[in-house]
């Protein structure tokens, strides 16, 4: 599922950071950005977006004033340097409240919350229109074809994508990777492993074998995994 985003912040450096963070997450697509609240409001009224990264103190109209003026409120992640707006923001049902300066890891936590909400709201199967995605690895964006992925291993602070040609290490969270890959082709088998169903060579007991690698099947994931391979 691709989440269409807009970002509004009257500080260009802060807007640049949000744009950069968005570019690092395969399931996010920035469709418009604004340096003032009025421009953002006019766009939201006339166009659809799944998620808005919204500053609070902006010229013309504040982020909270903007939300109060909307009859149909979108999913919003507030981005601000001020703590004192948090209660008002959550009263307006925002998804999350990011206090500047926020890290990429904290940004990902907010995106994961938004993803689950948007997925429930859409409440329909997602048709995949592409067979690849990009991740940031070693200071560059690397294209990964779904067909090349053998399995994915989650580490404490990063994930390793095992492909036919080697390993790709990225700081993206395991959950974001899982949300990016099509459910029809990839499945979680363990808290630390996700596999390509097409690349499984055999299953024996509590292990999946892909090439020379044996991967454990966790008890929590066992039922869903066997349902997937038998459908």
């Amino acid at each position: 599922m691709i989440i269409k985003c807009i970002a509004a912040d009257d500080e260009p450096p802060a807007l640049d950071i949000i744009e950069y963070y968005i570019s690092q997450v395969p399931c996010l697509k920035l469709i418009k950005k604004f340096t003032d609240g009025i421009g953002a409001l006019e766009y939201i009224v006339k166009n659809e977006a799944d998620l808005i990264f919204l500053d609070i103190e902006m010229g013309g109209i504040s982020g909270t004033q903007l939300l109060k003026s909307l009859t149909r409120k979108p999913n919003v992640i507030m981005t601000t340097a001020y703590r004192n707006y948090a209660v008002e923001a959550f009263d307006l049902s925002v998804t999350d409240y990011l206090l500047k300066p926020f890290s990429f890891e904290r940004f990902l936590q907010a995106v994961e919350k938004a993803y689950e909400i948007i997925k429930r709201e859409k409440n329909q199967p997602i048709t995949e229109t592409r067979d690849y995605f990009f991740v940031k690895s070693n200071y560059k964006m690397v294209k990964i074809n779904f067909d090349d992925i053998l399995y994915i291993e989650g580490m404490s602070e990063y994930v390793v994508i095992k492909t036919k040609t080697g390993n790709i290490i990225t700081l993206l969270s395991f959950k974001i990777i899982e949300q990016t890959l099509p459910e029809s082709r990839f499945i979680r088998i363990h808290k630390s492993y996700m596999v390509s169903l097409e690349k499984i060579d055999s299953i024996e007991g509590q292990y999946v074998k892909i090439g020379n690698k044996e991967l454990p099947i966790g008890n929590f994931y066992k039922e869903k995994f066997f349902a997937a391979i038998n459908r």
Side-chain angles (χ1 to χ4, degrees):
M1 181 174 69
I2 300 299
I3 297 175
K4 294 184 292 184
C5 311
I6 68 172
D9 197 306
D10 64 350
E11 298 179 359
L15 196 58
D16 288 343
I17 290 173
I18 294 170
E19 182 176 12
Y20 175 72
Y21 282 176
I22 290 173
S23 73
Q24 306 305 297
V25 184
C27 65
L28 299 184
K29 180 179 181 182
L30 182 63
I31 56 175
K32 204 77 174 176
K33 57 181 181 177
F34 302 90
T35 54
D36 65 280
I38 296 296
L41 176 60
E42 291 175 348
Y43 183 87
I44 295 166
V45 168
K46 298 177 182 178
N47 301 272
E48 288 191 7
D50 298 315
L51 179 62
I52 302 171
F53 294 93
L54 185 63
D55 187 19
I56 293 183
E57 291 201 350
M58 295 185 289
I61 183 173
S62 71
T64 52
Q65 289 173 330
L66 184 156
L67 289 181
K68 289 176 182 177
S69 68
L70 294 174
T71 54
R72 181 178 59 84
K73 289 183 173 58
N75 292 281
V76 175
I77 294 175
M78 285 293 196
T79 60
T80 180
Y82 303 95
R83 296 179 182 272
N84 54 303
Y85 293 108
V87 172
E88 183 180 9
F90 283 112
D91 282 344
L92 292 169
S93 300
V94 302
T95 301
D96 209 338
Y97 191 91
L98 299 183
L99 193 63
K100 300 175 184 176
F102 48 86
S103 66
F104 182 57
E105 288 73 20
R106 180 65 182 89
F107 175 85
L108 283 179
Q109 290 176 10
V111 169
E112 288 171 2
K113 290 181 186 177
Y115 184 97
E116 294 301 326
I117 292 170
I118 294 166
K119 185 177 180 180
R120 288 196 299 270
E121 287 175 347
K122 290 183 179 294
N123 194 28
Q124 58 186 11
I126 305 301
T127 301
E128 295 296 330
T129 57
R130 61 179 183 176
D131 57 2
Y132 65 89
F133 67 111
F134 285 87
V135 298
K136 181 71 175 294
S137 180
N138 291 329
Y139 305 102
K140 62 183 178 182
M141 298 300 291
V142 180
K143 181 181 180 181
I144 303 175
N145 295 312
F146 294 160
D147 283 341
D148 292 336
I149 299 172
L150 302 176
Y151 64 92
I152 298 162
E153 183 174 1
M155 302 295 189
S156 58
E157 297 178 353
Y158 57 89
V159 297
V160 180
I161 302 171
K162 307 280 186 175
T163 72
K164 297 175 181 177
T165 56
N167 298 339
I168 299 168
I169 299 173
T170 178
L171 286 174
L172 282 180
S173 71
F174 206 124
K175 193 164 187 178
I176 288 293
I177 295 289
E178 187 176 7
Q179 291 165 349
T180 301
L181 296 173
E183 293 181 1
S184 60
R185 300 180 62 182
F186 297 87
I187 191 164
R188 191 87 168 260
I189 64 167
H190 187 273
K191 66 179 182 179
S192 300
Y193 293 103
M194 187 173 189
V195 301
S196 167
L197 290 168
E198 301 165 4
K199 301 301 189 301
I200 295 174
D201 293 313
S202 62
I203 302 165
E204 184 174 351
Q206 291 286 105
Y207 290 89
V208 165
K209 191 168 184 179
I210 298 179
N212 296 320
K213 183 73 173 180
E214 288 189 341
L215 307 173
I217 303 170
N219 289 331
F220 180 79
Y221 304 92
K222 186 176 181 179
E223 183 177 350
K224 185 177 180 180
F225 169 65
F226 282 104
I229 64 173
N230 290 315
R231 65 186 172 209

